[in-house]
Amino acid sequence: MDDIRVTVTTLVSTPESRPPDDDRIERAMTDALMTGNNLRLLALAIWGLFWMACGDSAPWWAFAVPAALHISSMMAFIRLERIYRRAPDTYETEGWRWRYIVLAGVTGLSYGLAGLLLVIHSATAPGIFVASILCAITALPPGRTYEPRSYTLLVCICLLMLSAGLLWVGGPVSRPAGIGVLLYLVALLLQNTVQHRLQRKQVALAIDHEDLARLHARREKEAQQARAVLEAVFDNMSDGVLLYEADGRWVYQNPAMARLHSMSNSFMATLPTFADIIRYRARRGDYGPLDRLPGGLDGWVATRVARFEAANEPPQRRRTITGRTVEVTYRRLTDGRVLTIHRDLTDIVEREEKLQLARAESERARDEAEAANQAKSTFLATMSHEMRTPMNGVVGTAELLEREPLNERQKRLVGTVRRSATALLRIIDDVLDFSKIEAGRMELEEAPFSLRALVGSAIETLSVQVEKKGLALHTTIESGTPDALLADATRLRQILFNLIGNAAKFTDVGRIAVRVRAVDGDERAVTLALSVSDTGIGMDRRQQERLFKPFSQADSSTTRRYGGTGLGLSIVRRLAELMGGTVTVESRPGEGSTFTVTLKVRRASDVPGEASVGEPAKEHLPLAAAGARVLAVDDNDVNLEVLIGQFEILGLALDTASNGIEALTRWRSQPYALLLTDIHMPDMDGFELTRQIRAEEGVNPDRPRTPILALTANALKGEAERCLAAGMDGYLTKPLTLERLRDAVARQAIAVPSAGNGGAVDRSVVSGMFGDNPATVERVLERFRTAGARLLDEIDKATNDPARLAELAHQLKGAARSAGAARLADMAEVLERSREPRDLEALRLEWRKVMAELSPA
C-alpha cells in the first residue's frame, strides 16, 4: 500500500520544467571533456618536427626529457579517460576535473620545457620554428572550452617558459618573438574565456531540450493513467484519504479514513465542506481542548482552511486525542481538486525512538571500546619502553662486568645478575606478547625462511640450558617435510622456545625430543606438526584442563617450585590459532608430556642466505673496515655508558651524543661507518634525525651513505616499519647484548675484532654460563670439539651444495659463539653469507688453532 501511495503522489505532483542547475551543466561538460578527445596522440608528432629542426644543434636530452614527460602525461590521459568510461562514478565531478587539470599542467610543462631547452641550445631559425609550433599547438588542446582552468594552466606554463627562453637568448629576432609570445598568451586566454561561456550556454540549451522532451512524455502518460490509478488505489490504501473539490466540498473518503477518525460516509454527508469537518473534529476534541487552540475555534478552523487552500506544503505530524501520531499531507491535483492523505505513524515513531536509543547506546559502547583499545595500545607501548630501557642497563652492565678481572665470588654474583635479568626479560616479553594478543594488536609477518635452520637455531640456543640439567636433547625432522617456507619465523621460533623451555623446566632426568613433520599440504601450502616430548613430571586430566589458561599452571605447588608467569603455553595456543592451527597435549603423571602444535604455512621457492633466521635478507653496505668510527645517540646516560663499554670490547671507536641535534652536528663534521640512534628523544627524535641525514645525503652525492640502525625499547609491531620508512637500515630492541650488537655491526660489513683473552677460545664465556664449574666447562668444550670436527667434515663435503653449506656454517657459528670461539664464529658467518668454498681455508686455519687450545696437554 505504501508503494501505491508513493506512485499516486508522484503521478499527481509532476514538477514544472526549470532551467538546468550548474551541477548538471558541469556533469555534461565533464562527460564531453573526458570522452571526446580521440586525437590526443597526434600531438606526439611535434617531437619529430622538433628533431628535424633542432636535432643537429640541441643535445639529445633536450628532446628526451620533455618527450618522456609528454608521453607519460598522454598515457595518464588515456588511462583516466578509460576509467571514466568504465566507472564514471569513481570520483565526484570536481575530482575528475582536477585530475584532468593536473595532467594538462604536466603536458604544458613538457611543451614549455622543450621550448625552453631547444630555444636556448639551437640557432635562431630553428628556435623560432619551435616557438611557432608551440604557439600553434597551444591553440588546439582538446577540451579547452570545457575546462578553462586546465587550458589556462597548460598555455601559461608552456608559453611563459617559451617566452623566458626567447628573452634569455636575446637578439633582434628572439627578443621580439618572446614579447610576441606573451601577447599571444593574453589573446588566447581572452578568447578562451568567451568560447567557454558560449559552450556553457550551448550545453544548458541541450539539457533544456532533453528536460522538455521528458516532461512532455511524462505528462501524456500521467494524463492517461491518473484517473485509473486513483480509482483503483484509494479503496486499497492503508492510509486515510479524503478527496475534495476545489471549493472545499468533499467527494470521497476511503475505508481507512473512516476507521482512522470514526466518521462513516453517512455521517460525513452531514458535513459537506472541509471547514465543517474541521469544526466538528475540533469540537470533538481531536486537536485538544478548545480553550487551548491557537485563535480559538474560529481561528483554528481558519488556519486549517488556509493550509487546505495552499496545499502542496510539507507534511505535518500531530498527535490525536487517542494518542496516535498522524501525518497529514495536502496534495492539489491537476484539475484543482485537493487530496488529503492521513497516515498513522504511531508504530513507526515508536520504532524510530527505539532505534535512536539503540544507536546511541551502540555508539557509546563503540566509543568506550575504541577508547579502551587505544588506552591498552598506549599502555603496551609505554610499558615496553619503560621496562626495556632499565633492562638494557642491567643486562648490558652485567655483560660488561663479566669481562672485567673479577674474583670467583664476584663472577658468580655477576652471573646470577645476568641470568636473573634474562629471566626477567623473558617474563616481560611474555606479558607484553599476551597483552598484544588480548588487545588484537598481534599481527603476523610473512617472510621466507629455512625450517631446518630455524629448528637448529632454536635447539642451539636452548642446548646449554638443557645440558646444564644433564638432559639429552634429540631433534627429528621427518623426510618429506619441506624446508623452504613462508611464515612468521620469529613467532614460530617463539613457539619452539616456549615448548622446549617448558619441557626443560619440568624435566629433571631423561630426555627431550623435538619432532617436526608435515601432516597435510599441497603445492602451495603445508600443515606442520611440531611435537615436543619430555620425560618430566607429567599431568593429570584436571591439570591439563587448566594448562592453556592465562596466568595459570598445573597447580599452585608447581608455581611455587618451578616459577614462571603461566603465560608461555597460553601464548603458544594464541599464536597457533593466529597461524591457523591448534595445540594439544598428551600426558600422564610421572610419565612425561607431549605437546603438539599444528600450523598452516605456505611453501617458498627459496630461502635467503642470511645468518639470522626469520629476518628478511638485507643488502650489505660496502663500508671500509679500516679506521671505522661509530656514532651512538641516546638521551639515557646509562644506555650510552653500556654502549661505550660494549664498543670497547668490540675494538671499534665510538662517539656519543645525547640528542638528535648534537648527533646531526657530529655527523656533519666527519664521516661515520655506522650510526646507532634511539627513537624517542626530546628536541629531535631518531626519525627526524634519520630524515634530515637522508635529505642532506641526497643533495650531496659525494658523501657516502651512512648506515643507520634504530636502537629502542619499543618492541611493538609497526615500529620496525616506521624505522624503515624513515630511511633507517635496521632495527634493534633493548636490551642489546654484546653478541647481538656484534652481529648487527658485522652485517654492515664493518670488521669487528674478536673479543676475549687473545686466544682462539675464551673459556670465560662457558665458565660464566655454568658458575665456574670446571668439570661442566670441560665437558661442554669437549662436546664442542667433537661437534665442531663433525661440522667441519660435513662442510668439506658440502662445497657443491650452497644451501647445505650455509646451513652447516650457521650451525658452526652458533656452536662457536657458545663455546667462546669468537673468531671462528665470525669466519663461519662469512662463509654462511658468501656460500663460497674460497672462504673455507681461513675457517680451517682458525679451527686448527681452536683444536690446539682445546686438545689435552
Side-chain angles (χ1 to χ4, degrees):
M1 292 298 102
D2 291 345
D3 293 339
I4 296 176
R5 184 179 67 80
V6 172
T7 303
V8 173
T9 303
T10 303
L11 290 172
V12 301
S13 60
T14 302
E16 296 298 327
S17 176
R18 60 182 182 276
D21 56 26
D22 289 339
D23 288 342
R24 297 180 66 196
I25 295 174
E26 292 298 328
R27 284 196 297 271
M29 295 187 71
T30 301
D31 187 67
L33 178 72
M34 301 302 298
T35 60
N37 303 320
N38 298 321
L39 302 178
R40 188 185 309 279
L41 291 178
L42 291 178
L44 296 175
I46 67 169
W47 302 107
L49 297 176
F50 287 169
W51 180 260
M52 289 189 293
C54 306
D56 295 335
S57 55
W60 66 269
W61 51 265
F63 299 89
V65 173
L69 191 61
H70 186 205
I71 292 172
S72 299
S73 68
M74 292 301 100
M75 295 299 100
F77 267 124
I78 293 172
R79 177 173 173 78
L80 185 67
E81 292 169 0
R82 287 180 178 175
I83 294 174
Y84 181 85
R85 289 189 177 96
R86 186 169 59 249
D89 295 330
T90 302
Y91 306 107
E92 298 291 338
T93 300
E94 191 65 12
W96 289 111
R97 286 178 169 267
W98 273 112
R99 284 165 172 80
Y100 191 95
I101 290 169
V102 170
L103 295 180
V106 176
T107 303
L109 178 60
S110 69
Y111 290 158
L113 184 59
L116 177 65
L117 295 175
L118 295 179
V119 165
I120 291 175
H121 290 90
S122 301
T124 300
I128 296 302
F129 175 76
V130 169
S132 301
I133 292 297
L134 288 178
C135 288
I137 200 169
T138 51
L140 303 172
R144 59 191 178 90
T145 58
Y146 297 109
E147 178 45 72
R149 293 174 293 180
S150 69
Y151 182 70
T152 300
L153 184 61
L154 184 148
V155 298
C156 285
I157 293 176
C158 175
L159 296 184
L160 286 175
M161 293 180 72
L162 175 61
S163 177
L166 290 169
L167 294 175
W168 175 269
V169 172
V173 176
S174 297
R175 184 173 289 109
I179 297 174
V181 169
L182 292 178
L183 296 176
Y184 179 69
L185 170 62
V186 174
L188 285 179
L189 295 178
L190 293 175
Q191 178 193 29
N192 197 66
T193 301
V194 175
Q195 291 179 340
H196 175 67
R197 292 175 181 170
L198 292 176
Q199 186 67 49
R200 283 185 63 88
K201 291 181 180 179
Q202 291 179 2
V203 171
L205 287 174
I207 294 175
D208 279 339
H209 284 302
E210 292 178 1
D211 289 346
L212 287 173
R214 284 196 297 268
L215 180 61
H216 178 72
R218 187 166 63 245
R219 284 191 178 279
E220 286 186 353
K221 186 176 181 180
E222 288 172 355
Q224 297 172 0
Q225 295 179 347
R227 182 177 298 277
V229 170
L230 289 174
E231 291 177 355
V233 140
F234 288 158
D235 286 343
N236 296 287
M237 289 183 62
S238 59
D239 298 332
V241 173
L242 266 170
L243 182 63
Y244 297 88
E245 296 289 356
D247 60 3
R249 292 178 295 109
W250 77 273
V251 294
Y252 169 82
Q253 76 162 351
N254 68 346
M257 185 68 193
R259 292 191 301 271
L260 186 62
H261 291 110
S262 300
M263 297 167 65
S264 65
N265 286 345
S266 59
F267 180 78
M268 289 284 288
T270 63
L271 306 171
T273 68
F274 176 81
D276 293 333
I277 295 173
I278 294 299
R279 188 178 299 276
Y280 168 77
R281 294 185 59 196
R283 286 175 174 169
R284 192 175 67 173
D286 285 7
Y287 308 112
L290 287 176
D291 56 355
R292 295 185 181 180
L293 294 177
L297 177 59
D298 293 337
W300 176 257
V301 173
T303 59
R304 298 295 92 191
V305 171
R307 175 171 173 77
F308 172 85
E309 292 176 349
N312 292 332
E313 292 185 357
Q316 288 186 344
R317 289 186 182 184
R318 63 177 180 82
R319 296 183 72 86
T320 66
I321 192 172
T322 60
R324 310 294 293 178
T325 300
V326 178
E327 180 183 78
V328 182
T329 304
Y330 294 81
R331 295 289 185 190
R332 187 172 296 279
L333 306 184
T334 56
D335 59 0
R337 291 185 294 180
V338 176
L339 187 72
T340 65
I341 304 172
H342 302 252
R343 186 178 186 186
D344 189 348
L345 299 180
T346 304
D347 295 339
I348 296 176
V349 170
E350 291 177 353
R351 285 197 297 270
E352 287 178 350
E353 292 175 350
K354 292 180 180 179
L355 285 174
Q356 289 177 353
L357 291 174
R359 188 179 298 111
E361 181 65 22
S362 176
E363 290 179 355
R364 185 186 64 80
R366 183 194 61 194
D367 292 342
E368 291 179 354
E370 289 179 352
N373 193 45
Q374 182 60 38
K376 185 174 288 188
S377 299
T378 303
F379 172 79
L380 286 176
T382 302
M383 292 304 295
S384 175
H385 186 274
E386 294 302 320
M387 284 192 274
R388 286 178 175 273
T389 296
M391 286 301 298
N392 186 61
V394 174
V395 174
T397 303
E399 190 175 48
L400 294 176
L401 277 175
E402 282 188 324
R403 297 178 179 271
E404 294 292 325
L406 306 175
N407 59 39
E408 296 302 320
R409 182 173 181 275
Q410 290 170 336
K411 288 182 179 180
R412 288 194 298 274
L413 293 176
V414 172
T416 301
V417 170
R418 185 176 181 184
R419 288 190 296 273
S420 299
T422 302
L424 178 58
L425 184 61
R426 176 77 176 274
I427 294 173
I428 292 173
D429 288 339
D430 282 350
V431 173
L432 290 176
D433 281 344
F434 180 78
S435 300
K436 283 189 286 186
I437 294 173
E438 289 292 290
R441 306 289 294 183
M442 177 69 77
E443 299 179 18
L444 300 180
E445 298 177 345
E446 190 176 74
F449 69 96
S450 165
L451 176 64
R452 286 171 173 78
L454 183 144
V455 174
S457 174
I459 296 300
E460 174 187 312
T461 302
L462 295 172
S463 60
V464 175
Q465 175 186 350
V466 174
E467 292 173 355
K468 187 176 180 180
K469 296 187 68 173
L471 303 175
L473 180 59
H474 302 290
T475 305
T476 302
I477 300 180
E478 293 189 357
S479 60
T481 304
D483 184 56
L485 299 174
L486 281 171
D488 193 326
T490 300
R491 296 305 174 187
L492 187 56
R493 183 165 45 186
Q494 184 178 4
I495 290 174
L496 282 174
F497 279 168
N498 282 345
L499 292 180
I500 298 174
N502 189 73
K505 180 165 64 174
F506 294 106
T507 303
D508 293 327
V509 178
R511 63 179 181 85
I512 297 173
V514 180
R515 180 188 177 199
V516 183
R517 65 190 187 280
V519 296
D520 191 15
D522 52 31
E523 294 181 354
R524 294 185 301 173
V526 64
T527 299
L528 289 180
L530 310 177
S531 298
V532 177
S533 303
D534 62 63
T535 56
I537 60 176
M539 295 168 287
D540 58 27
R541 179 62 59 182
R542 181 177 298 179
Q543 291 171 330
Q544 294 176 38
E545 292 175 354
R546 301 181 53 193
L547 196 59
F548 297 104
K549 295 180 180 180
F551 306 104
S552 65
Q553 291 184 340
D555 54 41
S556 58
S557 63
T558 301
T559 304
R560 289 193 301 269
R561 179 180 177 185
Y562 295 100
T565 61
L567 286 177
L569 293 178
S570 176
I571 292 173
V572 168
R573 180 174 67 87
R574 301 296 182 92
L575 290 177
E577 292 171 350
L578 287 174
M579 300 176 77
T582 59
V583 57
T584 59
V585 59
E586 298 178 4
S587 181
R588 296 180 64 181
E591 297 182 6
S593 306
T594 298
F595 289 85
T596 301
V597 176
T598 59
L599 307 167
K600 295 181 179 179
V601 297
R602 292 200 297 145
R603 297 177 184 266
S605 58
D606 194 9
V607 294
E610 276 294 304
S612 181
V613 178
E615 297 179 358
K618 297 179 181 177
E619 180 181 352
H620 298 310
L621 303 174
L623 301 175
R629 296 189 68 83
V630 179
L631 176 61
V633 51
D634 198 311
D635 61 335
N636 188 296
D637 294 339
V638 175
N639 290 338
L640 287 179
E641 189 66 30
V642 171
L643 284 172
I644 291 172
Q646 290 175 329
F647 273 94
E648 285 180 356
I649 295 173
L650 295 181
L652 291 175
L654 178 71
D655 293 339
T656 62
S658 59
N659 57 65
I661 297 176
E662 181 184 350
L664 184 61
T665 302
R666 285 183 171 272
W667 176 84
R668 287 170 175 167
S669 64
Q670 65 174 348
Y672 285 98
L674 177 64
L675 189 150
L676 293 172
T677 178
D678 189 20
I679 291 180
H680 303 289
M681 297 181 294
D683 299 328
M684 178 185 286
D685 60 17
F687 297 121
E688 182 59 31
L689 172 62
T690 302
R691 285 189 286 266
Q692 185 65 37
I693 290 176
R694 294 299 181 236
E696 295 187 18
E697 288 174 340
V699 299
N700 186 5
D702 295 333
R703 177 159 188 167
R705 186 179 186 277
T706 303
I708 301 176
L709 299 180
L711 179 58
T712 179
N714 190 347
L716 294 183
K717 180 174 176 58
E719 198 75 354
E721 288 78 2
R722 291 181 60 199
C723 293
L724 296 177
M728 298 181 186
D729 300 287
Y731 175 86
L732 298 170
T733 56
K734 301 173 184 176
L736 181 61
T737 64
L738 184 61
E739 290 306 315
R740 287 178 56 217
L741 179 61
R742 177 194 296 274
D743 291 342
V745 172
R747 279 197 291 271
Q748 304 306 321
I750 302 174
V752 181
S754 297
N757 54 11
V761 179
D762 181 4
R763 295 174 178 262
S764 65
V765 174
V766 181
S767 179
M769 296 178 183
F770 298 98
D772 292 331
N773 187 321
T776 303
V777 170
E778 292 305 320
R779 181 169 58 86
V780 171
L781 291 178
E782 175 60 26
R783 292 194 60 182
F784 166 67
R785 190 166 70 90
T786 303
R790 176 182 55 79
L791 286 172
L792 260 295
D793 290 340
E794 293 184 13
I795 287 173
D796 287 334
K797 298 175 183 178
T799 53
N800 295 324
D801 186 351
R804 178 60 175 165
L805 190 65
E807 179 182 347
L808 293 170
H810 176 78
Q811 295 179 23
L812 179 60
K813 180 196 71 173
R817 292 213 192 283
S818 298
R823 283 195 297 270
L824 180 66
D826 292 342
M827 294 175 183
E829 184 174 8
V830 171
L831 176 62
E832 180 185 10
R833 290 176 181 162
S834 69
R835 303 187 179 191
E836 294 291 340
R838 65 173 179 264
D839 293 319
L840 267 174
E841 187 58 36
L843 184 68
R844 293 191 187 100
L845 180 61
E846 183 63 25
W847 172 249
R848 285 195 288 270
K849 295 179 182 179
V850 171
M851 289 292 290
E853 291 193 16
L854 294 181
S855 298

